[in-house]
Amino acid sequence: MKTKPQFFSFLFFSLLLLLPAASYSSFAENEEEEEDKISRSMFPDAFLFGTSTSAYQIEGAYLEDGKTLNNWDVFTHIPGNIENGDNGDVADDDYHRYMYDIEVMESIGVNAYRFSISWSRILPSGKVGGVNPYGIRFYNKIIDNLLLKGIEPFVTINHHDIPQELEERYEGWLNPLMQEDFVHLAKTCFENFGDRVKYWITINEPNLLADMAYLRGWYPPARCSEPFGNCSAGNSDVEPLIAVHNMLLSHARAAKLYHQQFKAKQGGSIGIVANAFMYEPFRDNENDRQAVRRKLAFDVAWIFDPLIYGDYPLEMRKYDGKELPKFSQEETQLVKGSLDFIGINHYSSLYAMDCLHFPCTAIYDRAIAGYVGVTGERDGKLIGERTGMPRFFVVPRGMEKIMDYVKRRYPTMPIFCD
């Protein structure tokens, strides 16, 4: 199995901001001058400046104190999967250096920190095994010390890493049984950390995970089919839809549990985070403007529409109708309204081009892609300054545009942007 090399041992610093449910204002009205003019005093007292990480990217200690192998441990140890044979065995060694990291956050004025729980560190065998007290103690120390420093913990229950045992037992997110394991994980977190954690994210970027793990095959379990890749197993036109369906139901079941059994006493809120690129028309015509709307529906609304309105976007039902899973009446009631807030990770913007009326490459000219092609270049000019990631460009206007899109589509929801 050949997969594209990825890099997974960095500490990702980000700006975390809360937009009230009623309205928001642009933070970039004078884009050319903002670098010199922006200061913390310009923001409300309740504004959150934060950093964000994920367990596999920073913790290390991959087999220490009772932790078992997760899917990323296994994947990165397969020769050829990761450039230079890199892995997260040590990473940033946050498991041993978490206090140093917290002190750095305090020194730069951070007042919010989003981190994720390593599933295999606190539940090494999933719901069939016991809770690992060493894992619980580790996260308790992080939470307690964050609060001592005046830093609000935002806890992501799952950020792409699952116990390898669950992958081998029933193929992870492709199996509805995964929902039961996830709810058990969530309950364990609520019981052990919920007295101090007021912001919960159930799953980080289910849309990105589906794309990378089940469409392209670049993340574990590295499943895909032609023309997206040459994996040993998988179906790129179907499996991403199944995986997201199970993740959304997992979120909804965990949110129901929290709302019914924990929220009244603990006083927290629960949401989900989606990957949210912004798109601009590649050509100045209605077809490409429609392509932008379609792409946003297939990316962002894919996650949020079911959890707010109870079903997938109409655009997806139209083009992916045969393959797109359906919610039962009971499941519709379960998923609808299961969010207390929306979370988005915005990295960049790209151009979108229509593939319904214009020829596109095979990976875009299909239902799973919404019949939309994307690129970062138009007429020989890049959409923004290049970064170290091939598809990430510096496009400040994209932040404002994606916030506007989300706010217009879900006008009553509070939004966190990472």
Side-chain angles (χ1 to χ4, degrees), residues 278-297 315 319 350-358 370-373 378 401 405 409:
M278 188 58 203
Y279 299 94
E280 299 180 3
F282 181 72
R283 293 160 292 227
D284 185 18
N285 61 45
E286 183 58 27
N287 287 327
D288 280 6
R289 284 188 284 274
Q290 289 288 344
V292 167
R293 290 189 279 273
R294 205 158 59 245
K295 184 61 176 170
L296 288 167
E315 297 92 334
Y319 295 105
L350 293 168
Y351 294 117
M353 63 187 79
D354 172 58
C355 299
L356 289 170
H357 305 92
F358 299 92
Y371 297 101
V372 179
R378 181 177 65 185
K401 288 181 177 181
Y405 170 81
R409 193 166 185 116

Side-chain angles (χ1 to χ4, degrees), residues 210-355:
D211 182 275
M212 293 295 199
Y214 298 99
L215 186 133
R216 303 174 192 271
W218 295 353
Y219 287 9
R223 297 177 64 88
C224 68
S225 58
E226 296 290 348
F228 296 95
N230 183 27
C231 302
S232 61
N235 184 332
S236 297
D237 293 302
V238 176
E239 289 185 357
L241 303 172
I242 296 172
V244 164
H245 194 71
N246 284 321
M247 283 186 268
L248 294 180
L249 287 169
S250 295
H251 158 85
R253 296 186 193 285
K256 180 180 179 180
L257 174 71
Y258 185 75
H259 288 141
Q260 290 184 346
Q261 298 186 23
F262 296 95
K263 185 177 178 68
K265 183 177 181 180
Q266 297 179 354
S269 58
I270 191 164
I272 199 169
V273 170
N275 178 43
F277 272 67
M278 188 58 203
Y279 299 94
E280 299 180 3
F282 181 72
R283 293 160 292 227
D284 185 18
N285 61 45
E286 183 58 27
N287 287 327
D288 280 6
R289 284 188 284 274
Q290 289 288 344
V292 167
R293 290 189 279 273
R294 205 158 59 245
K295 184 61 176 170
L296 288 167
F298 271 69
D299 280 7
V300 181
W302 182 19
I303 305 304
F304 295 130
D305 269 26
L307 304 182
I308 295 172
Y309 301 128
D311 200 5
Y312 292 110
L314 293 176
E315 297 92 334
M316 294 192 74
R317 285 285 178 215
K318 179 177 180 179
Y319 295 105
D320 253 329
K322 292 182 180 179
E323 310 296 349
L324 192 62
K326 291 181 172 59
F327 294 108
S328 68
Q329 184 175 355
E330 179 183 356
E331 289 172 340
T332 297
Q333 294 175 349
L334 178 69
V335 297
K336 185 177 181 180
S338 61
L339 288 177
D340 294 328
F341 62 84
I342 285 174
I344 67 170
N345 285 349
H346 174 69
Y347 301 111
S348 188
S349 297
L350 293 168
Y351 294 117
M353 63 187 79
D354 172 58
C355 299

